Amino acid sequence: MQFRTASGAELLVAHCVWGNYLWRGLKNVRIVDDHFREDYVEELVREWGYTRPTGPVHSGRPAFVSDTAADTAFLFCPATAGVAQLVHEIGHAVHDRVYPASRDWSHEQAEAFALLADVNAGRWRTLEPAERAAFRDHIKACRNNPGYERALRWAFSLRKLKLKEQMDAIAQG
């Protein structure tokens, strides 16, 4: 695995969106400069103490991967995926760390939580035009994907709440 460090600009945007929860979310998380692929499973099991998955492995896209058997979690997101995708995956790290019960959430609930990144990015007037466009494109892609459409609506229904209230609302289901 080829690791990378998030750029200062990426971390600034992530902090704007996730506030101080960012630092809890990124504790013991390594960023891999690649999409998650099935061939990483062996390395995670062999070198990082992960439990072998029993179900299908979703390969070829960004992902956040954690295991209760291991101390280190991995955020698979190449730099070329863009800031919106990285901040979305950081959202999965935040719910994993702040709400440990989230490991049992449905796909929709986990995605709604991570999509709070898109909801809250619109609050920041200081985003660069390219960063704003990245979030707009990410929202558009989610609207056009049946697996994310309901989660996106759920996240946007909470847009007027403060971040902690948004997070708690999704955590409560």
Side-chain angles (χ1 to χ4, degrees):
M1 285 188 273
Q2 179 71 35
F3 299 111
R4 76 177 182 96
T5 304
S7 72
E10 289 171 327
L11 287 175
L12 181 61
V13 172
H15 188 265
C16 287
V17 170
W18 293 112
N20 289 332
Y21 299 102
L22 168 69
W23 310 117
R24 280 178 66 190
L26 289 180
K27 184 177 182 189
N28 293 331
V29 173
R30 308 278 314 258
I31 301 174
V32 180
D33 194 23
D34 197 2
H35 292 99
F36 184 71
R37 296 191 320 255
E38 196 164 343
D39 52 317
Y40 285 128
V41 171
E42 282 305 314
E43 184 175 348
L44 290 171
V45 170
R46 185 180 63 253
E47 295 183 26
W48 297 93
Y50 273 54
T51 305
R52 185 171 307 286
T54 56
V57 175
H58 301 285
S59 199
R61 60 184 187 206
F64 175 76
V65 180
S66 67
D67 189 329
T68 54
D71 292 331
T72 304
F74 296 90
L75 198 155
F76 290 85
C77 189
T80 57
V83 68
Q85 187 65 55
L86 176 67
V87 174
H88 174 88
E89 296 306 327
I90 288 172
H92 288 298
V94 169
H95 76 65
D96 183 73
R97 301 304 203 228
V98 177
Y99 301 95
S102 68
R103 292 178 182 184
D104 296 325
W105 286 356
S106 68
H107 173 264
E108 184 177 311
Q109 190 172 9
E111 290 305 331
F113 191 99
L115 287 165
L116 290 174
D118 299 271
V119 170
N120 292 316
R123 294 180 176 184
W124 293 93
R125 304 278 183 246
T126 56
L127 290 182
E128 296 291 328
E131 294 165 343
R132 197 169 296 287
F135 281 102
R136 193 172 39 250
D137 292 346
H138 191 253
I139 291 168
K140 187 177 182 180
C142 290
R143 277 197 181 114
N144 293 328
N145 184 328
Y148 291 83
E149 184 182 12
R150 287 182 53 186
L152 186 65
R153 279 197 313 256
W154 186 2
F156 268 96
S157 75
L158 304 170
R159 71 183 170 278
K160 294 186 180 180
L161 300 177
K162 293 180 180 178
L163 176 61
K164 179 64 170 141
E165 293 168 346
Q166 291 173 337
M167 293 172 21
D168 287 346
I170 291 175
Q172 293 168 10

